[in-house]
């Protein structure tokens, strides 16, 4: 006898008692379920819609709160359907439902018939089939391989009945297992046919008997086997036949909504004759209105003012979430699903928990699991939505690539045609030059031959005249007269004969052209004409960005910093920093490496430099960055350099004051060197004992440090001229005019101390222990010198 359960406890926990023992299952009514769903999804409704939905939940909760947990007051009491309205569907689910449905049509079509599912059933492999299509692809197995015969023979050791260990698994009562197989050992050899979408369709082993029952209720052949046309997994049906498979009510609802969405525009539901197109829908009244009917039947006043009016499309979406008929248990057709079996992952009824195979399984409230799985599906859809968004962006990128490829192809073809045309033009120009040479040779040959013809013609005429004259002389009968001229004529005849015998009758020019065009190297080059470099598949780095906030100058040094663009995906192997010469000249490389910050020393003072940077990798170099303009200091600020000074030099006052620990003269240099511009600094004599000989001037970096300044050829200095304690020595280095001038107490010492001073120079001092001096920098050039220089 089954135990009837009492009213659930107030805390929402229900205790069920049966053969499987006492189990806990979440419950607590629809109001708690609604709140849990809202908290779980992180959304809430607002305004009058929220209040209206809450009212509905309260009214419906009176009939469904108890039954949602699986029991209620009576075991045959129908369980109210759980709809999205009851649970307060979140905006996220509503937003997902507004996604265009045209692209999911293939999900709604049967793989056998290729049409929309009609009364779909769910196979254990989670795929769906129409009931009629499932009956059409049934195959009858031999009696010896049926589960009944195996159980009768005692060969079965578990709830699974195998046709063959390596072929298939059988559907059992204790489990919804299934397997795949390559074919039955004794299966019928009826040829298979193909459905419209190309899957295999197995015809029935024998024509179904004539019956007036529906496909689900009509008897199926004994020991029938069904194979999923999508994953090709097979199972043998039990005594229930196709009724043992649950019906996919959700899929039916989706198909109905999809077909409604494809229908014509929504019409007003209150127009008496020809319905007009609806303009709004009231969510509380669940009615579509046109504008006249809305003003007449749904005025915005009184209680109706709180109703929420939405566009028809959104109202259609809301209607999609309307309650559907309740699905019943496949094992107990008179029972509605009321709980969820966690182990079998399927809804079950009250009777399954009391008598069926789920009596010892863990179960949970159907509403709670519905909300949980709905939330999991929503979260999974968010991830899939992100992937779909990325796929759409990728498709846009590919379409842009198609356009870019076409544009690049046109550009490249134009460039190739231009290059080939340039070669043809060069060949035509060379052809013209060679033809000119041939014509020149032709004219030369003709001239030589014509000149020779003219010369021979004249000579022949003279010879013929001489011959005729001699013949006439021979005819004379006067011996004395003949003898007077005969010797001269004989000499002329011999001379003329000799003239014809010295190559006169040989052509001076041949008819052949002694020119042969050597075109084999050019033909070989044309045959070898090819693309010498194929563009690498990997791109070059992106253009670096100069970080202006970190770029600065100090004295004659410049510090530059740069970085790769934030969205750059191509790594850079290094960078090339370029600066011009400070006078607008050509750029030159000053740094090549992986660092993104560089300090360039030794620039000219009071000069403007242009800097730019580019990145490189194995593929090539990036475009240049924007050009940065840098201005060095007008005057130099520096101190003495302990690093290059003699070890006897003593520093103080931040290296601006120096003295010496030795009686011998020692040299100390300034930190900054000068190679361009006009520079002025001063030194004050703080201590001057026993008449030492300090020297002040400039020197090269490799000056001798242990002798007085100026003793070698690498220093220029002043060593006398009224230097006393408290005196101020000024040094003026004019590298534009290549001169060095000294001042003592603002008075110039002579015209110019040194000229033709050229190169890199450092401020320098030599002193011993009897002298202490302090350096003063950053001073402008004296006014009188500036005016004199401008006049000059």
């Amino acid at each position: 006898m089954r135990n009837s359960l009492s009213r659930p406890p107030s805390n929402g926990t229900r205790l069920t008692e049966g053969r499987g023992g006492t189990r806990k299952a979440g419950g607590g009514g629809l109001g708690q379920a609604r709140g849990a769903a809202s908290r779980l999804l992180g959304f809430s409704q607002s305004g009058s819609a929220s209040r209206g939905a809450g009212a509905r939940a309260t009214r419906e909760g009176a009939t469904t709160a108890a039954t949602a947990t699986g029991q209620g007051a009576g075991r045959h009491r129908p369980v109210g359907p759980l709809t999205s309205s009851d649970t307060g569907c979140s905006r996220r689910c509503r937003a997902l439902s507004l996604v265009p449905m045209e692209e999911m049509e293939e999900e709604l079509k049967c793989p056998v018939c290729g049409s929309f599912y009609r009364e779909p059933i769910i196979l254990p492999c989670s795929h769906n089939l129409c009931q009629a299509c499932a009956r059409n692809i049934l195959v009858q197995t031999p009696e010896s391989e049926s589960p009944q015969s195996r159980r009768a023979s005692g060969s079965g050791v578990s709830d699974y009945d195998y046709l063959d260990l390596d072929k298939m698994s059988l559907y059992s009562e204790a489990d919804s297992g299934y397997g795949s197989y390559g074919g039955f050992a004794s299966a019928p050899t009826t040829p298979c046919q193909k459905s419209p979408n190309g899957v295999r369709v197995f015809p029935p082993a024998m024509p179904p008997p004539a019956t007036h029952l529906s496909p689900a209720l009509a008897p199926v052949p004994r020991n029938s086997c069904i194979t999923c046309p999508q994953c090709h997994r097979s199972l043998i049906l039990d005594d229930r036949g196709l009724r043992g498979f649950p019906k996919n009510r959700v899929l039916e609802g989706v198909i109905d909504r999809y077909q409604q969405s494809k229908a014509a525009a929504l019409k007003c539901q209150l127009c008496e004759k020809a319905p007009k197109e609806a303009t709004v829908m009231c969510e509380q009244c669940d009615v579509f209105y046109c504008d006249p009917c809305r003003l007449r039947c749904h005025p915005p006043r009184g209680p109706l003012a709180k109703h929420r009016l939405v566009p028809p499309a959104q109202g259609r979406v809301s209607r999609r979430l309307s309650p559907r008929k309740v699905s019943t248990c496949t094992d107990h057709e008179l029972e509605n699903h009321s709980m969820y079996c966690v182990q079998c992952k399927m809804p079950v009824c009250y009777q399954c928990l009391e008598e069926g195979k789920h009596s010892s399984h863990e179960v949970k409230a159907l509403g709670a699991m519905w909300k949980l799985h709905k939330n999991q599906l929503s979260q999974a859809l968010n991830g899939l939505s992100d992937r779909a968004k990325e796929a759409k962006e990728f498709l846009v990128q590919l379409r842009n690539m198609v356009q870019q490829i076409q544009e690049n192809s046109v550009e490249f073809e134009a460039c190739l045609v231009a290059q080939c045309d340039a070669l043809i033009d060069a060949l035509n120009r060379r052809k013209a030059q060679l033809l000119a040479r041939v014509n020149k040779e032709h004219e030369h040959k003709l001239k030589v031959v014509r000149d020779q013809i003219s010369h021979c013609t004249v000579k022949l005429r003279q010879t013929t005249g001489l011959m005729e004259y001699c013949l006439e002389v021979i005819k004379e009968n006067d011996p004395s007269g003949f003898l007077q001229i005969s010797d001269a004529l004989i000499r002329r005849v011999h001379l003329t004969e000799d003239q014809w015998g010295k190559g006169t009758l040989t052509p001076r020019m041949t008819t052949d052209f002694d020119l042969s065009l050597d075109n084999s190297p050019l033909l070989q080059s044309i045959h070898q004409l090819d693309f010498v470099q194929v563009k690498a598949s990997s791109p070059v780095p992106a253009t670096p960005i100069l970080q202006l906030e970190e770029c600065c100058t100090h004295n004659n040094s410049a510090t530059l910093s740069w970085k790769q663009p934030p969205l750059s995906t191509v790594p850079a192997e290094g960078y090339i920093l370029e600066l011009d010469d400070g006078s607008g000249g050509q750029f030159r490389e000053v740094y090549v490496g992986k660092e993104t910050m560089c300090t360039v020393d030794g620039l000219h003072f009071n000069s403007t430099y242009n800097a730019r940077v580019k990145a490189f990798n194995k593929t090539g170099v990036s475009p240049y960055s924007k050009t940065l303009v840098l201005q060095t200091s007008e005057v130099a600020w520096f101190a003495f350099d302990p690093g290059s000074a003699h070890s006897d030099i003593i520093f103080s006052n931040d290296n601006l004051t120096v003295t010496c620990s030795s009686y011998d003269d020692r040299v100390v240099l300034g930190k900054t060197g000068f190679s361009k511009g006009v520079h002025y600094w001063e030194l004050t004599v703080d201590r001057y004992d026993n008449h030492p000989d300090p020297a002040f001037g400039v020197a090269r970096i490799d000056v001798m440090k242990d002798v007085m300044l100026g003793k070698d050829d690498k220093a220029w200095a002043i060593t006398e001229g009224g230097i006393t304690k408290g005196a101020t020595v000024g040094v003026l280095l004019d590298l534009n005019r290549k001169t060095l001038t000294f001042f003592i107490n603002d008075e110039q010492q002579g015209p110019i101390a040194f000229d033709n001073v050229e190169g890199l120079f450092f401020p320098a001092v030599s002193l011993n222990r009897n002298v202490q001096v302090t350096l003063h920098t950053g001073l402008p050039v004296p006014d009188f010198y500036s005016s004199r220089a401008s006049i000059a």
Side-chain angles (χ1 to χ4, degrees), residues 419-592:
Q419 289 178 320
C420 292
D421 289 343
L423 293 177
I424 295 173
D425 292 341
L427 185 61
N428 287 332
R429 289 193 297 270
R430 189 58 180 167
K431 172 185 174 183
Q433 294 174 358
L434 295 176
L435 287 176
R437 288 184 56 184
V438 172
N439 292 334
K440 184 177 180 181
E441 182 70 14
H442 168 255
E443 296 295 334
H444 174 66
K445 285 182 176 291
L446 289 180
K447 184 177 181 302
V448 171
V449 173
R450 287 169 179 169
D451 290 344
Q452 190 174 12
I453 291 173
S454 176
H455 178 72
C456 290
T457 301
V458 173
K459 192 69 175 177
L460 180 59
R461 187 168 55 248
Q462 294 175 352
T463 302
T464 304
L466 179 60
M467 290 173 59
E468 292 178 354
Y469 174 68
C470 291
L471 290 175
E472 293 298 327
V473 170
I474 292 174
K475 293 179 181 180
E476 291 292 332
N477 295 325
D478 184 2
S480 60
F482 176 81
L483 291 174
Q484 288 178 349
I485 62 174
S486 58
D487 291 335
L489 288 177
I490 292 172
R491 285 195 299 271
R492 285 183 63 190
V493 169
H494 286 301
L495 180 61
T496 302
E497 182 181 2
D498 293 340
Q499 290 177 351
W500 283 108
K502 294 180 179 180
T504 307
L505 301 180
T506 302
R508 298 177 185 176
M509 187 63 64
T510 62
T511 58
D512 297 330
F513 283 79
D514 298 330
L515 297 175
S516 178
L517 182 62
D518 185 11
N519 61 349
S520 55
L522 181 58
L523 289 175
Q524 184 177 2
S525 299
I526 292 175
H527 291 308
Q528 294 177 351
L529 187 63
D530 200 353
F531 304 105
V532 295
Q533 180 180 2
V534 180
K535 290 185 178 180
S537 57
S538 58
V540 298
T543 303
I545 300 175
L546 287 170
Q547 302 188 82
L548 302 182
E549 64 276 5
E550 298 184 12
C551 298
C552 61
T553 59
H554 176 70
N555 274 348
N556 62 336
S557 299
T559 300
L560 295 102
S561 177
W562 58 89
K563 65 178 181 180
Q564 283 291 97
L567 301 179
S568 175
T569 59
V570 181
E573 297 182 0
Y575 303 92
I576 301 175
L577 176 62
E578 296 182 358
L579 265 73
D580 65 358
D581 57 0
S583 300
Q586 293 183 348
F587 283 88
R588 66 187 189 280
E589 294 182 0
V590 295
Y591 171 76
V592 178

Side-chain angles (χ1 to χ4, degrees), residues 1-108:
M1 176 178 180
R2 285 191 289 273
N3 296 326
S4 178
L5 299 181
S6 62
R7 189 178 184 86
S10 59
N11 60 359
T13 302
R14 182 176 65 85
L15 300 179
T16 60
E17 183 179 356
R19 290 185 300 175
T22 303
R23 301 186 299 278
K24 281 189 176 182
L30 198 57
Q32 292 181 354
R34 176 183 175 86
S38 300
R39 291 191 298 274
L40 184 63
L41 295 177
F43 292 92
S44 63
Q45 294 179 345
S46 60
S48 60
S50 176
R51 292 190 293 271
R56 290 198 303 275
T58 303
R59 290 192 299 271
E60 295 173 1
T63 59
T64 61
T67 57
T69 62
Q71 175 64 16
R75 56 177 285 254
H76 293 296
R77 182 176 182 177
V79 179
L82 294 175
T83 66
S84 58
S85 298
D86 298 330
T87 58
C89 184
S90 66
R91 292 194 187 100
R92 175 168 54 183
C93 296
R94 179 169 295 179
L96 289 174
S97 67
L98 291 175
V99 174
M101 305 175 67
E102 290 78 3
E103 298 181 358
M104 72 170 180
E105 185 169 321
E106 290 301 321
E107 295 284 338
L108 310 180

